[in-house]
């Protein structure tokens, strides 16, 4: 299977390998940022949503979980469709759909409509996001690819922190009386700009001999992810009914069936949805394993801190969001230095980042124990800044490592697998650490529940540090 880069529209120079210029890279990074911002932007807006729509806690969890589930379940399929029909075309369609579904979320008259619109928004994101990495992989080369991958990783991490801060600012600003709706409506003008830029600056790439969609693999992967994520995200609020336990019991069976079907297709010379042979690439396999605990800890931390600062410390949406501003600033600054550090020290930068992140979590634990409930920007600043620095030295580098040996003709499926792993782990983080925290609050109180959850996250950081020692020393 070979790769084709299709000439761009009139008015642009003919595309060739390395044809993704600065404006095109900026455009696809907008597409990468929007869905991650939207995953986190609702955290500080949930209390206001509940009051305005009269929604129960379980329904509000669906606002978060419905988006995350649809996004995670359909990502690999989105990557395959980009390989099949053209990545620029899928990027444009996904971005347009993301704008429309964001508008539907912002105008939702009731909680049920909002949940449905969020599920559709997650599906739109799944069509758009895999095309970003696949385009970078196919339309850049050499140092330009390394720089683009570093920028992609930095954008992903910064978007997760910035989303929570932006959510608090928008809710408090109450633009034209829109309240929480502005966290969705703000996407619309950004999408319009992104579409205009994509039409001008993003080259079309596709495989010359694309494989058809793997129907059985798609269904089994979707069923396996739903069986795992649905009960974990909804179980606590629903009181852990029988269906949640049956669903969790079905997960290993569905995952095993998915692997068997994919392995058989791979052996027969067909291209399965997730080719098992792809995992023969050591950088990809080890990078994905490390990404799981990192992403679980990242999303769980963001969710738990948003709830604790608003419900426990009594902060409003803006102070709760701005309390994490040092993390965002440190992440941004450290990510700028990341490429130079990687060139000199290789994957050991990830290990150093894990150590820094662990130190930051320890400082946050000490701040919460000493100052609760009078915690805010000043008290959390040292821990948030150190943790943000550590995260910036991990995520962009790990993403580069995962994709470093993926051939261009498999860029779509490779990016789909990586982003699916990240997104499923983000959803798991909210489900597991969030459920742990909320379950501990009635018995332990808000402070001790938060401290305990942070200690669990710290254990995850230790696991990440140990896994980083197995990464290939040289980063491609």
């Amino acid at each position: 299977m070979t790769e084709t880069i299709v000439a761009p529209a009139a008015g642009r120079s003919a595309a060739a390998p390395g044809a993704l210029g600065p404006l095109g890279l900026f455009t696809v990074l907008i597409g990468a940022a929007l869905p991650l911002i939207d995953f986190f932007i609702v955290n500080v807006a949930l209390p206001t949503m509940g009051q305005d729509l009269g929604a129960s806690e379980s329904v509000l969890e669906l606002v978060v979980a419905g988006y995350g589930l649809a996004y995670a379940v359909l990502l690999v399929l989105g990557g395959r469709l980009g390989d099949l029909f053209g990545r620029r075309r899928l990027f444009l369609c996904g971005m347009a759909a993301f704008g429309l579904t964001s508008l539907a979320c912002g105008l939702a008259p009731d909680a049920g409509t909002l949940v449905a619109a969020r599920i559709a928004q997650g599906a739109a994101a799944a069509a758009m996001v895999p095309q970003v990495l696949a385009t970078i992989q196919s339309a850049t080369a050499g140092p330009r690819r390394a720089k683009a991958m570093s920028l992609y990783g930095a954008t992903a991490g910064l978007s997760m922190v910035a989303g929570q801060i932006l959510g608090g600012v928008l809710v408090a600003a109450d633009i034209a009386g829109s309240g929480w709706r502005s966290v969705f409506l703000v996407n619309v003008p950004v999408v319009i700009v992104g579409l205009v830029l994509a039409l001008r600056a993003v080259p079309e790439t596709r495989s010359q001999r694309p494989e058809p969609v793997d129907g059985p693999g798609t269904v089994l992967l979707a069923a396996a992810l739903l069986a795992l994520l649905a009960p974990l995200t909804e179980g606590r609020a629903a009181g852990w009914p029988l269906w949640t336990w049956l669903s969790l019991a079905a997960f290993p069976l569905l995952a095993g069936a998915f692997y068997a079907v994919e392995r058989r297709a791979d052996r027969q010379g067909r291209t399965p949805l997730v080719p098992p042979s792809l995992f023969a690439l050591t950088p990809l396999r080890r990078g994905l394993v490390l990404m799981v605990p990192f992403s679980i800890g990242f999303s769980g931390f963001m969710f738990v801190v948003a709830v604790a600062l608003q419900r426990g410390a009594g902060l409003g949406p803006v102070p709760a969001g701005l309390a994490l501003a040092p993390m965002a600033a440190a992440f941004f600054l450290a990510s700028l230095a990341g490429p130079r550090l990687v060139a000199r020290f290789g994957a050991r930068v990830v290990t150093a980042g894990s150590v820094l992140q662990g130190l930051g979590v320890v400082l946050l634990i000490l701040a919460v124990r000493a100052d609760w409930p009078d915690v805010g920007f000043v008290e959390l600043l040292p821990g948030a800044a150190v943790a943000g620095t550590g995260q910036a030295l991990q995520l962009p580098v790990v993403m580069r490592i995962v994709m470093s040996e993926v051939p261009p003709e498999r860029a779509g499926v490779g990016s789909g697998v990586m982003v699916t792993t990240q997104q499923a782990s983000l959803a798991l983080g909210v489900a597991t650490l969030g459920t742990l925290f909320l379950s501990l609050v009635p018995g332990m109180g808000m402070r001790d529940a938060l401290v305990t959850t942070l200690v669990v996250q710290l254990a995850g950081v230790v696991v990440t540090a140990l896994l980083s020692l197995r990464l290939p020393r040289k980063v491609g």
Side-chain angles (χ1 to χ4, degrees), residues 3-5 15-33 79 82-83 86-88 91 128-156 201-206 396 399-416 418-419 476:
E3 189 73 14
T4 292
I5 298 186
L20 185 67
L23 184 59
L25 178 61
F26 172 76
T27 304
V28 295
L29 290 181
I30 290 176
D83 290 346
R87 293 158 191 148
R88 176 173 174 266
F91 180 81
M128 174 173 60
V129 171
Q131 319 316 326
V132 176
L133 271 175
T135 299
I136 290 173
Q137 193 78 351
S138 300
T140 61
R144 294 183 63 194
R145 179 183 296 173
K147 181 179 179 181
M149 287 298 300
S150 295
L151 288 172
Y152 175 88
T155 299
V202 177
E204 179 66 281
T205 65
R206 63 165 65 90
M399 287 183 165
R400 276 181 61 182
I401 290 172
V402 169
M403 296 295 291
S404 62
E405 294 185 5
V406 176
E409 65 269 16
R410 284 189 162 180
V413 67
S415 63
M418 188 183 80
V419 182

XYZ file of all heavy atoms in Angstrom, residues 3-5 15-33 79 82-83 86-88 91 128-156 201-206 396 399-416 418-419 476:
602
model
N 1.316 5.710 -0.531
C 0.680 6.939 -0.077
C 0.621 7.957 -1.198
O 1.543 8.076 -1.997
C 1.498 7.500 1.099
C 0.834 8.654 1.800
C -0.326 8.202 2.633
O -0.458 7.000 2.881
O -1.117 9.061 3.021
N -0.475 8.687 -1.265
C -0.626 9.736 -2.266
C -0.910 11.049 -1.570
O -1.708 11.103 -0.636
C -1.786 9.415 -3.225
O -1.414 8.285 -3.996
C -2.066 10.577 -4.146
N -0.263 12.102 -2.053
C -0.601 13.453 -1.629
C -1.201 14.154 -2.828
O -0.554 14.316 -3.857
C 0.619 14.212 -1.097
C 1.180 13.494 0.137
C 0.276 15.640 -0.785
C 2.299 14.241 0.812
N 1.201 20.176 -3.748
C 1.641 19.521 -2.532
C 2.618 18.433 -2.851
O 2.550 17.770 -3.860
C 0.436 18.963 -1.779
N 3.563 18.242 -1.970
C 4.548 17.176 -2.073
C 4.872 16.765 -0.660
O 4.467 17.430 0.278
C 5.773 17.677 -2.817
N 5.610 15.656 -0.477
C 5.996 15.298 0.879
C 6.673 16.481 1.572
O 7.613 17.071 1.070
C 6.959 14.126 0.657
C 6.491 13.509 -0.626
C 6.040 14.635 -1.469
N 6.195 16.814 2.739
C 6.646 18.006 3.428
C 5.793 19.210 3.097
O 6.189 20.342 3.371
N 4.604 18.976 2.475
C 3.790 20.079 1.968
C 2.913 20.734 3.017
O 2.264 21.713 2.718
C 2.904 19.579 0.827
N 2.879 20.195 4.228
C 2.062 20.823 5.265
C 2.845 22.001 5.820
O 3.745 21.836 6.647
C 1.732 19.815 6.367
C 0.768 20.323 7.449
C -0.626 20.550 6.870
C 0.700 19.349 8.619
N 2.499 23.197 5.350
C 3.215 24.398 5.762
C 2.768 24.891 7.119
O 1.892 24.305 7.767
N 3.344 26.014 7.579
C 3.006 26.548 8.903
C 1.514 26.840 9.078
O 0.939 26.547 10.123
C 3.840 27.832 8.980
C 5.003 27.578 8.071
C 4.451 26.753 6.938
N 0.875 27.433 8.054
C -0.545 27.740 8.173
C -1.373 26.460 8.214
O -2.333 26.351 8.993
C -1.001 28.618 7.006
C -2.456 29.097 7.055
C -2.728 29.896 8.318
C -2.804 29.909 5.815
N -1.002 25.472 7.391
C -1.710 24.203 7.416
C -1.546 23.495 8.750
O -2.499 22.918 9.290
N -0.333 23.534 9.301
C -0.098 22.914 10.613
C -0.912 23.610 11.687
O -1.539 22.951 12.532
C 1.396 22.981 10.949
C 1.793 22.406 12.310
C 1.435 20.923 12.417
C 3.296 22.611 12.551
N -0.930 24.930 11.661
C -1.742 25.690 12.617
C -3.207 25.278 12.518
O -3.904 25.108 13.526
C -1.591 27.189 12.354
C -2.517 28.058 13.156
C -2.273 28.299 14.498
C -3.639 28.631 12.570
C -3.134 29.099 15.251
C -4.502 29.434 13.293
C -4.245 29.664 14.644
N -3.681 25.070 11.309
C -5.088 24.727 11.085
C -5.429 23.355 11.649
O -6.439 23.186 12.344
C -5.408 24.769 9.580
O -5.069 26.048 9.057
C -6.882 24.496 9.347
N -4.584 22.364 11.355
C -4.905 21.028 11.862
C -4.753 20.980 13.378
O -5.457 20.211 14.055
C -4.058 19.932 11.182
C -4.395 19.842 9.695
C -2.562 20.133 11.394
N -3.869 21.803 13.933
C -3.739 21.839 15.394
C -4.975 22.457 16.045
O -5.326 22.105 17.175
C -2.475 22.606 15.799
C -1.144 21.905 15.483
C 0.030 22.753 15.944
C -1.090 20.522 16.119
N -5.646 23.360 15.343
C -6.942 23.848 15.837
C -7.903 22.669 15.958
O -8.624 22.523 16.955
C -7.525 24.915 14.890
C -6.718 26.202 14.955
C -8.993 25.207 15.240
C -7.181 27.265 13.963
N -7.902 21.807 14.924
C -8.763 20.624 14.954
C -8.402 19.668 16.062
O -9.278 18.975 16.604
N -7.127 19.589 16.408
C -6.716 18.729 17.512
C -7.107 19.321 18.863
O -7.433 18.587 19.801
C -5.200 18.504 17.462
N -7.067 20.649 18.960
C -7.319 21.308 20.243
C -8.799 21.330 20.615
O -9.160 21.116 21.784
C -6.777 22.736 20.202
N -10.109 7.240 11.635
C -8.804 7.157 10.979
C -8.857 6.337 9.708
O -8.261 6.701 8.686
N -10.509 8.223 6.885
C -9.613 9.218 6.311
C -8.663 8.590 5.311
O -8.400 9.153 4.246
N -8.133 7.400 5.652
C -7.282 6.684 4.702
C -8.044 6.355 3.420
O -7.486 6.369 2.322
C -6.785 5.372 5.330
C -5.767 5.608 6.442
O -5.252 6.739 6.550
O -5.496 4.660 7.200
N -9.856 10.194 1.997
C -9.041 11.407 1.982
C -9.093 12.092 3.332
O -10.174 12.354 3.859
N -7.922 12.383 3.876
C -7.883 12.915 5.244
C -8.344 14.361 5.316
O -9.002 14.757 6.283
C -6.460 12.752 5.788
C -6.105 11.274 5.970
C -4.620 11.014 5.996
N -4.385 9.569 5.903
C -3.337 9.020 5.322
N -2.415 9.792 4.760
N -3.184 7.712 5.284
N -8.008 15.150 4.317
C -8.485 16.537 4.313
C -10.005 16.577 4.224
O -10.660 17.374 4.910
C -7.861 17.291 3.139
C -8.350 18.720 2.954
C -7.516 19.397 1.867
N -8.003 20.710 1.531
C -8.839 20.990 0.544
N -9.318 19.993 -0.207
N -9.218 22.228 0.289
N -11.377 15.621 7.531
C -11.105 16.707 8.476
C -12.131 17.821 8.305
O -12.689 18.331 9.296
C -9.689 17.240 8.246
C -9.300 18.361 9.168
C -8.872 18.096 10.457
C -9.349 19.684 8.744
C -8.506 19.130 11.315
C -8.982 20.720 9.582
C -8.562 20.448 10.876
N -12.760 13.985 12.893
C -11.797 15.060 12.627
C -10.398 14.763 13.165
O -9.399 14.936 12.460
C -12.334 16.368 13.246
C -11.378 17.539 13.187
S -12.133 19.092 13.745
C -12.578 18.680 15.438
N -10.303 14.322 14.408
C -9.010 14.274 15.092
C -7.999 13.305 14.480
O -6.823 13.655 14.345
C -9.223 13.977 16.589
C -7.892 13.713 17.288
C -9.931 15.149 17.249
N -8.372 12.068 14.085
C -7.345 11.173 13.530
C -6.680 11.727 12.278
O -5.543 11.360 11.960
C -8.129 9.892 13.206
C -9.337 9.948 14.064
C -9.677 11.400 14.178
N -7.358 12.608 11.568
C -6.790 13.156 10.338
C -5.627 14.102 10.631
O -4.783 14.346 9.756
C -7.867 13.895 9.533
C -9.230 13.247 9.472
C -9.199 11.747 9.213
O -8.346 11.245 8.496
N -10.136 11.010 9.814
N -5.579 14.636 11.850
C -4.526 15.587 12.203
C -3.168 14.887 12.200
O -2.244 15.272 11.482
C -4.819 16.230 13.565
C -3.668 17.145 13.969
C -6.136 16.996 13.532
N -3.039 13.852 13.017
C -1.770 13.126 13.078
C -1.449 12.445 11.758
O -0.287 12.395 11.338
C -1.834 12.085 14.202
C -1.384 12.556 15.587
C -1.606 11.466 16.608
C 0.080 12.971 15.565
N -2.469 11.891 11.105
C -2.235 11.213 9.830
C -1.717 12.191 8.779
O -0.839 11.855 7.977
C -3.526 10.545 9.349
N -2.241 13.408 8.764
C -1.769 14.422 7.818
C -0.340 14.830 8.139
O 0.504 14.977 7.239
C -2.701 15.648 7.847
O -4.019 15.251 7.454
C -2.209 16.737 6.904
N -0.047 15.027 9.415
C 1.320 15.364 9.813
C 2.280 14.255 9.388
O 3.354 14.502 8.835
C 1.395 15.598 11.336
C 0.670 16.897 11.715
C 2.847 15.641 11.809
C 0.549 17.121 13.209
N 1.876 13.002 9.634
C 2.737 11.866 9.323
C 2.963 11.729 7.813
O 4.042 11.334 7.372
C 2.109 10.583 9.877
C 3.018 9.380 9.897
C 3.998 9.415 11.055
O 4.115 10.412 11.749
N 4.709 8.316 11.269
N 1.946 12.056 7.034
C 2.015 11.840 5.584
C 2.544 13.040 4.807
O 3.068 12.875 3.707
C 0.619 11.496 5.050
O 0.122 10.331 5.662
N 2.391 14.244 5.327
C 2.721 15.452 4.566
C 3.875 16.234 5.158
O 4.082 17.400 4.818
C 1.480 16.347 4.458
N 4.638 15.622 6.075
C 5.867 16.223 6.576
C 6.938 15.147 6.621
O 6.632 13.951 6.541
C 5.687 16.826 7.985
O 5.307 15.785 8.890
C 4.635 17.914 8.001
N 8.176 15.566 6.784
C 9.272 14.599 6.840
C 10.429 15.203 7.622
O 10.559 16.428 7.743
C 9.737 14.227 5.428
N 11.268 14.324 8.175
C 12.494 14.742 8.833
C 12.267 15.680 10.007
O 11.341 15.502 10.797
N 13.112 16.721 10.126
C 12.994 17.654 11.261
C 11.647 18.354 11.328
O 11.155 18.657 12.415
C 14.128 18.670 10.996
C 15.104 17.933 10.139
C 14.280 17.017 9.284
N 11.029 18.612 10.164
C 9.721 19.270 10.168
C 8.669 18.373 10.813
O 7.785 18.847 11.521
C 9.306 19.629 8.741
C 10.200 20.701 8.099
C 9.695 21.067 6.730
N 8.364 21.668 6.809
C 7.572 21.847 5.758
N 7.974 21.459 4.559
N 6.403 22.410 5.897
N 8.766 17.065 10.558
C 7.825 16.151 11.193
C 8.050 16.107 12.704
O 7.095 16.110 13.481
C 7.952 14.754 10.601
C 6.992 13.752 11.248
C 7.180 12.352 10.713
N 6.852 12.286 9.302
C 7.055 11.219 8.533
N 7.625 10.139 9.061
N 6.713 11.231 7.262
N 9.315 16.058 13.112
C 9.610 16.025 14.544
C 9.072 17.280 15.234
O 8.470 17.198 16.312
C 11.120 15.908 14.759
N 9.259 18.437 14.602
C 8.746 19.681 15.188
C 7.219 19.677 15.229
O 6.611 20.079 16.229
C 9.248 20.875 14.377
C 8.791 22.222 14.931
C 9.335 23.375 14.096
C 8.857 24.716 14.649
N 9.351 25.860 13.832
N 6.594 19.205 14.136
C 5.131 19.175 14.090
C 4.567 18.229 15.149
O 3.560 18.540 15.792
C 4.659 18.745 12.697
N 5.213 17.079 15.348
C 4.749 16.140 16.366
C 4.898 16.722 17.765
O 4.038 16.537 18.631
C 5.523 14.826 16.258
C 5.138 13.967 15.067
S 3.406 13.433 15.126
C 3.377 12.512 16.654
N 5.990 17.447 17.999
C 6.170 18.098 19.303
C 5.089 19.144 19.537
O 4.539 19.250 20.640
C 7.560 18.746 19.379
O 8.576 17.772 19.335
N 4.779 19.913 18.496
C 3.720 20.920 18.626
C 2.363 20.271 18.850
O 1.532 20.784 19.608
C 3.687 21.803 17.382
C 4.846 22.796 17.242
C 4.808 23.475 15.875
C 4.773 23.845 18.347
N 2.134 19.111 18.194
C 0.876 18.407 18.408
C 0.749 17.975 19.868
O -0.296 18.173 20.502
C 0.793 17.184 17.498
C -0.446 16.341 17.746
C -1.636 16.611 17.088
C -0.425 15.291 18.663
C -2.776 15.861 17.335
C -1.566 14.536 18.913
C -2.730 14.821 18.243
O -3.850 14.082 18.501
N 1.801 17.369 20.409
C 1.751 16.934 21.800
C 1.573 18.091 22.757
O 0.812 18.012 23.724
N 2.275 19.207 22.492
C 2.132 20.380 23.340
C 0.715 20.942 23.270
O 0.128 21.347 24.282
C 3.145 21.442 22.928
N 0.149 20.955 22.058
C -1.225 21.439 21.886
C -2.212 20.578 22.657
O -3.138 21.083 23.306
C -1.599 21.446 20.390
O -0.714 22.318 19.690
C -3.037 21.911 20.183
N -2.021 19.259 22.603
C -2.935 18.346 23.296
C -2.910 18.597 24.795
O -3.962 18.726 25.443
C -2.544 16.900 22.987
N -5.091 25.693 3.086
C -3.725 25.368 3.501
C -3.460 23.899 3.815
O -2.301 23.540 4.009
C -3.356 26.219 4.725
N -4.488 23.064 3.909
C -4.260 21.668 4.291
C -4.265 20.795 3.039
O -5.257 20.760 2.306
C -5.336 21.180 5.285
C -5.133 19.699 5.608
C -5.276 22.008 6.571
N -3.178 20.076 2.748
C -3.141 19.214 1.565
C -3.967 17.955 1.770
O -4.154 17.499 2.900
C -1.657 18.876 1.421
C -1.130 18.942 2.815
C -1.901 20.046 3.492
N -4.456 17.400 0.681
C -5.193 16.135 0.740
C -4.200 14.978 0.688
O -3.275 14.982 -0.125
C -6.169 16.042 -0.439
C -6.972 14.754 -0.479
C -7.929 14.627 0.693
O -7.449 14.271 1.797
O -9.126 14.880 0.516
N -4.343 14.022 1.567
C -3.521 12.813 1.551
C -4.423 11.609 1.693
O -5.426 11.646 2.397
C -2.485 12.807 2.694
O -3.157 12.759 3.949
C -1.598 14.043 2.640
N -4.059 10.534 0.991
C -4.800 9.282 1.107
C -3.920 8.159 0.603
O -2.887 8.391 -0.039
C -6.111 9.323 0.319
C -5.933 9.491 -1.181
C -7.215 9.172 -1.941
N -8.269 10.093 -1.645
C -8.495 11.226 -2.308
N -7.686 11.564 -3.293
N -9.495 11.996 -2.010
N 4.130 15.315 24.880
C 4.575 15.506 23.487
C 5.614 14.482 23.055
O 5.599 14.015 21.907
C 5.159 16.928 23.509
C 4.538 17.599 24.684
C 4.363 16.519 25.700
N 4.009 10.998 22.409
C 3.291 10.988 21.138
C 4.243 10.864 19.954
O 3.957 10.151 18.991
C 2.432 12.249 21.020
C 1.218 12.235 21.922
S 0.192 13.698 21.704
C -1.311 13.161 22.536
N 5.376 11.548 20.030
C 6.383 11.408 18.971
C 6.886 9.972 18.891
O 7.065 9.411 17.807
C 7.552 12.354 19.234
C 7.349 13.770 18.751
C 8.564 14.609 19.038
N 9.766 14.110 18.356
C 10.973 14.651 18.489
N 11.147 15.691 19.278
N 11.999 14.152 17.834
N 7.135 9.389 20.038
C 7.657 8.027 20.077
C 6.660 7.051 19.471
O 7.022 6.175 18.678
C 8.010 7.635 21.524
C 9.238 8.417 21.998
C 8.265 6.131 21.646
C 9.546 8.255 23.468
N 5.385 7.167 19.836
C 4.358 6.247 19.345
C 4.315 6.235 17.826
O 4.228 5.185 17.186
C 2.979 6.614 19.926
C 1.868 5.844 19.217
C 2.931 6.316 21.425
N 4.372 7.406 17.218
C 4.206 7.510 15.769
C 5.521 7.436 14.996
O 5.509 7.469 13.760
C 3.498 8.832 15.434
C 2.082 8.948 15.968
S 0.948 7.750 15.233
C 0.853 8.360 13.552
N 6.648 7.322 15.686
C 7.945 7.476 15.030
C 8.221 6.444 13.940
O 8.889 6.751 12.955
C 9.066 7.440 16.076
O 9.086 6.190 16.762
N 7.735 5.204 14.093
C 8.027 4.165 13.112
C 6.789 3.706 12.332
O 6.848 2.732 11.596
C 8.683 2.970 13.800
C 10.066 3.282 14.378
C 10.760 2.055 14.943
O 10.211 0.935 14.809
O 11.843 2.212 15.542
N 5.667 4.414 12.503
C 4.451 4.067 11.753
C 4.628 4.517 10.306
O 4.880 5.702 10.050
C 3.212 4.739 12.365
C 1.969 4.447 11.524
C 2.993 4.249 13.793
N 4.513 3.621 9.318
C 4.686 4.025 7.916
C 3.557 4.954 7.469
O 2.431 4.871 7.986
C 4.644 2.694 7.156
C 3.935 1.742 8.061
C 4.246 2.175 9.457
N 3.828 5.842 6.524
C 2.815 6.805 6.092
C 1.512 6.167 5.632
O 0.433 6.707 5.855
C 3.503 7.547 4.937
C 4.959 7.437 5.238
C 5.127 6.088 5.865
N 1.580 4.986 4.991
C 0.351 4.370 4.496
C -0.543 3.871 5.622
O -1.722 3.586 5.414
C 0.668 3.224 3.525
C 1.397 2.042 4.153
C 2.903 2.182 4.064
O 3.366 3.315 3.803
O 3.597 1.167 4.247
N 0.024 3.749 6.826
C -0.778 3.350 7.983
C -0.934 4.499 8.982
O -1.257 4.283 10.138
C -0.131 2.144 8.675
C -0.348 0.841 7.923
C 0.098 -0.352 8.722
N -0.485 -1.582 8.192
C -0.267 -2.797 8.702
N 0.515 -2.938 9.756
N -0.837 -3.858 8.174
N -0.708 5.711 8.511
C -0.769 6.874 9.394
C -2.157 7.046 10.000
O -2.298 7.394 11.175
C -0.373 8.133 8.633
N -3.200 6.792 9.196
C -4.566 6.964 9.699
C -4.888 6.004 10.829
O -5.378 6.398 11.888
N -4.595 4.723 10.605
C -4.906 3.743 11.643
C -3.984 3.924 12.841
O -4.401 3.769 13.997
C -4.830 2.303 11.086
C -3.413 1.918 10.716
C -5.381 1.301 12.097
N -2.712 4.292 12.596
C -1.792 4.515 13.706
C -2.237 5.671 14.583
O -2.244 5.570 15.819
N -2.634 6.780 13.969
C -3.099 7.929 14.754
C -4.413 7.604 15.452
O -4.638 8.019 16.592
C -3.265 9.154 13.851
O -4.261 8.942 12.865
N -5.277 6.828 14.766
C -6.544 6.446 15.394
C -6.327 5.601 16.637
O -6.984 5.799 17.664
N -3.618 5.581 18.556
C -3.018 6.381 19.617
C -4.047 7.294 20.288
O -4.128 7.368 21.517
C -1.867 7.232 19.073
C -1.100 7.935 20.180
S 0.206 9.026 19.601
C -0.745 10.453 19.145
N -4.842 7.991 19.488
C -5.812 8.917 20.062
C -6.920 8.143 20.785
O -7.449 8.606 21.799
C -6.396 9.853 18.982
C -7.358 10.841 19.597
C -5.281 10.611 18.272
N 12.677 9.274 17.440
C 12.708 9.576 16.006
C 11.960 10.826 15.667
O 11.129 11.292 16.416
